[in-house]
Amino acid sequence: MYRCYLFDFDYTLVDSTEGIVGCFLRTLAEMGRPPLPSLAIQRTIGLPMPEAVGRLLGTKDEATIEDFIRRYQPYADRYMTPGTHFFPGVPEVLAQLRKGGAKIAIISSKTSRRIQEKLDESGTAAYIDFVIGCREVTLPKPDPEGILQALRRFSLPKETVLYTGDSLVDAQAAEAAGVDFAAVTTGTTTAAALARYPHVRVMDRLSELLNP
């Protein structure tokens, strides 16, 4: 068993579809833009917010992207945490890993404040040593900065660490950091796509982490 477990957040630990899609659609409506298909929005979950907005709006104009994010924020403050739900069994997995003495951290493209909000609201904060969000790094995933920062904070060698995520940027970040990677298919990325990267396992659900 590993001594340290690092996790992505959206679509790895939680299903944030309701919160993120809802906030995107409300923001689009406020801007007078037509709604986008839910799946198109879901496919950007896990990307840095400016990149996700740029892809969905089909623009690279920084002012337009910044305006969208500014309008999005009040909706996120109101709807994001209530619209984010742990996948079945995930709190139990975290509790079991913690009981076994493991160190646990979250490395995400979301803000650490928003993640901590959900941890506190759900009673799972005690299982997590710390959260590294988009504002704690200079470069987002697939850059390995967040993972490497966690290794330094834990003072653990790479071979004792497992990073688990649902997307290609997670797989790429783990590979770049030189740590083992476990994929979970609870997001929008297929098992076949995830399996193209170095991995120790590809799982249908996070609870498989506890299986030998």
Side-chain angles (χ1 to χ4, degrees), residues 27-38:
T27 307
L28 290 168
E30 179 182 321
M31 297 178 74
R33 289 175 174 264
L36 291 168
S38 174

Side-chain angles (χ1 to χ4, degrees), residues 36-114:
L36 291 168
S38 174
L39 186 56
I41 299 171
Q42 288 175 248
R43 284 175 174 156
T44 68
I45 291 176
L47 295 176
M49 187 66 173
E51 183 178 346
V53 172
R55 286 192 187 188
L56 290 168
L57 299 187
T59 183
K60 293 184 178 180
D61 181 67
E62 291 185 5
T64 300
I65 292 170
E66 288 172 6
D67 181 50
F68 185 98
I69 294 173
R70 178 182 61 80
R71 294 170 185 264
Y72 179 98
Q73 194 62 50
Y75 295 119
D77 289 339
R78 181 174 179 182
Y79 297 108
M80 189 62 69
T81 295
T84 299
H85 312 282
F86 279 96
F87 287 114
V90 165
E92 292 79 6
V93 170
L94 297 176
Q96 191 66 27
L97 292 175
R98 176 62 94 200
K99 185 178 179 181
K103 302 291 187 182
I104 304 174
I106 294 171
I107 317 294
S108 173
S109 297
K110 211 181 194 83
T111 64
S112 57
R113 177 179 73 86
R114 189 73 64 200

